[in-house]
Amino acid sequence: MTLLRRLILLSLLLTFAFPYQAFAYKVVLDAGHGGSDPGATGINGLREKDVNWDITQKVRDELIAKGYEVVLTRTDDSYWSLAQRVEFTNAQKADLFVSIHANSHPDGKTKGTMVLYYDNDYPQEDYPASETMKKLTPYSKDLAQHVLDSLLAAAGTKNLGLIPSAVYVARMGTIPSILVETAFLNQASDAALLASDSVRSKMAAGIADGIAAYTPPLFTDSLGHWAREAILRMKNKGIIEGIANRYEPERALTRAEFLTLMDRVFTFNQLKSVCEPGGTVTSIVYGFQAPAEQSYKDLPSSHWASPVFAKAKNLNLLQGYSDGTIRPDQSITRGEVAFLFDRLLQMASITTNSPPVAAASASFNDVPETLWSAKAIYALKNKGIIDGITDTAFKPSQSITRGEIAAMLNRYYQG
């Protein structure tokens, strides 16, 4: 069996084995307290940190069995500050965060289950939330409700509801986040439940089922981003893709990614090369002309973008650098994007016999008319496809981000 067939078969097996999602959502599980911080102590001698750790491990196992990617904050009986837990979670590029705790109340009579989340409708002046978490209120609340419902159904505990809270781990992150209070350690019947391994297993299964019933928002890392609407529109058109459930809107776009997008937009196989006056075909490597190469030493056939580079080369759209490279994974600049986008528009106009559009006059201080990409920049500006960084600055040598290219493509399709 070939490697390709094996990969296809594995993909199909994963789809059938893990029907909860087409790809593995990534979950950060946080066992509350730990190390020098035991948390609450129960009337039966149970320490909260031990209960939390046991249930968290069980939730992890349940989620892995469902096809989720799971990361734990603390992985043993160690102390983690609240800030460390949030910092670690932010670095994981995950889709959601669940902190697991047991509860305590001075009266010794309160019992039941509650789930905490940050709600921007109930801000606390002394405990401000991160800007991202303010915008995530509906997503965190939805996650909290799913987990609460499933946990109650599995464990049969009393329903204490959803609690808007300014608890640190639920208000300072960048992804939908909740804190689960499973039951009360200092109430007799709840403490007995928490002391039972079978009940803790039921609680874990309930938490995992609640997570599985929740669908994180598409491209979690674009929530609150200025280009999110454009990103979603281009995703819905099948133009852009993410990496798992992330889009990375602030990452610089690579040359390989740009050509792939352009092939989806313009369909390279249907285009004709553009000739300069006099019949000379001009090809360009993002602003650098060099002798054509039959192959590029940094673009093996195994590179994921090798086919689209071959299409681009057939259009005389680009050539290699003088050192025999094409640099597919290098970031592409705003000026280079403008030049190639305009060139493709010209090719598309030839194919469709569309009339040319007059270029706009110079208006960016950093794009003089003598700049190699100026004509393209002003042509695209005149069409409403491209914007400057400010009204007077275009930054042609600055790398274009994935968010910026989504916005640019959105303008093109709306034009």
Side-chain angles (χ1 to χ4, degrees), residues 79-126:
Y79 172 79
W80 282 53
S81 70
L82 299 177
Q84 284 177 314
R85 295 169 196 255
V86 172
E87 182 180 356
F88 173 83
T89 299
N90 289 344
Q92 292 305 304
K93 298 183 177 180
D95 296 295
L96 54 95
F97 169 89
V98 178
S99 187
I100 297 173
H101 289 248
N103 217 335
S104 179
H105 195 280
D107 66 12
K109 298 178 181 179
T110 302
K111 65 177 182 178
T113 298
M114 63 178 69
V115 180
L116 284 57
Y117 72 100
Y118 177 77
D119 195 319
N120 203 41
D121 287 338
Y122 304 95
Q124 295 188 28
E125 184 177 345
D126 294 335

Side-chain angles (χ1 to χ4, degrees), residues 133-149:
M133 288 308 299
K134 293 177 183 178
K135 299 170 183 175
L136 286 176
T137 289
Y139 304 103
S140 293
K141 185 175 183 179
D142 189 30
L143 171 61
Q145 189 68 64
H146 278 90
V147 170
L148 178 65
D149 291 345

Side-chain angles (χ1 to χ4, degrees), residues 220-269:
T220 310
D221 60 339
S222 72
L223 290 168
H225 192 276
W226 65 268
R228 178 167 172 79
E229 289 188 12
I231 291 168
L232 295 182
R233 288 195 189 100
M234 293 304 98
K235 168 64 176 175
N236 289 337
K237 287 187 72 68
I239 302 299
I240 66 171
E241 294 178 353
I243 301 90
N245 193 34
R246 302 183 68 80
Y247 181 69
E248 301 181 356
E250 289 302 310
R251 177 169 66 77
L253 186 75
T254 68
R255 297 175 170 185
E257 289 173 331
F258 175 71
L259 280 185
T260 300
L261 292 175
M262 292 299 96
D263 189 24
R264 291 176 188 152
V265 173
F266 293 102
T267 312
F268 287 176
N269 289 337

